[in-house]
Amino acid sequence: RINSEITSPSVPYYLSAEKTKAVASLETKVAGLISIDAQAYYRDAHSGIVNNGTMPPRANQPTEYIIHWLIQNYSTDVHDVELKATLQPGVDWTGIVKSNIDSVPLYNDVAKEVTWNISKIIATKGITNDPIEAIFQIRATPNMAELGQYQPLISESKLQAVDDFTGLNLLSVDI
């Protein structure tokens, strides 16, 4: 932030003043950065969740996976954090969910959408300490048309938040 003032003893002839004066103010704010990292695992002993199904997956047979959402917040506090992803065709929600904070992702079975709302995240969370993390289990059943191909599990994970310092909306996407 800078405030400036300039004065001059010279006054244009058409003004009746003792001096001329100009005042200016400038404020620059640098927005923070928040990021989402979405990961999927078949074997994940760290989560404490055991998956069922075969690896590699087989057509018309369900295989379970663990999805991890890891959030890192860099230099400013943020609020109204919302993270969303949609389960792809052939993928179902098992209802097993964990988080290292007091809120967990919720599932809307009509929209097949997983949403995680967090009221506030402090600056440098996940940078100077462990990231905020949610874990949830899904069950994918590939069909015959997906044989020999990768089966999409979830859509892009899209995180939105409001920067407390600048008031700007922040966005992070992981595919």
Side-chain angles (χ1 to χ4, degrees), residues 32-96:
L33 174 67
I34 191 166
S35 67
I36 177 64
D37 182 19
Q39 304 171 356
Y41 296 98
Y42 173 68
R43 297 247 186 257
D44 186 17
H46 174 70
S47 72
I49 300 170
V50 177
N51 289 320
N52 292 312
T54 62
M55 186 54 66
R58 294 192 181 132
N60 301 319
Q61 294 182 16
T63 299
E64 295 171 341
Y65 301 92
I66 305 294
I67 304 296
H68 288 251
W69 275 344
L70 300 157
I71 299 174
Q72 292 181 302
N73 187 33
Y74 291 81
S75 58
T76 60
D77 292 352
V78 295
H79 66 276
D80 295 338
V81 180
E82 182 179 66
L83 179 52
K84 288 184 177 186
T86 304
L87 299 186
Q88 297 299 293
V91 179
D92 298 306
W93 178 262
T94 67
I96 297 174

Side-chain angles (χ1 to χ4, degrees), residues 33-34 71-79 81 118-130 132 164:
L33 174 67
I34 191 166
I71 299 174
Q72 292 181 302
N73 187 33
Y74 291 81
S75 58
T76 60
D77 292 352
V78 295
H79 66 276
V81 180
I118 304 168
S119 59
K120 186 166 186 73
I121 301 175
I122 61 169
T124 70
K125 180 65 178 162
I127 305 303
T128 59
N129 51 17
D130 292 334
I132 294 176
D164 281 1

Side-chain angles (χ1 to χ4, degrees), residues 99-111:
S99 168
N100 64 356
I101 62 172
D102 61 354
S103 69
V104 296
L106 301 174
Y107 181 65
N108 176 333
D109 59 344
V110 175

Side-chain angles (χ1 to χ4, degrees), residues 109-154:
D109 59 344
V110 175
K112 290 193 74 164
E113 187 174 69
V114 183
T115 304
W116 191 18
N117 291 304
I118 304 168
S119 59
K120 186 166 186 73
I121 301 175
I122 61 169
T124 70
K125 180 65 178 162
I127 305 303
T128 59
N129 51 17
D130 292 334
I132 294 176
E133 182 176 20
I135 301 168
F136 57 92
Q137 186 184 53
I138 57 173
R139 182 178 301 116
T141 308
N143 60 39
M144 292 299 285
E146 294 168 321
L147 251 149
Q149 300 177 27
Y150 292 105
Q151 180 185 14
L153 300 175
I154 63 172

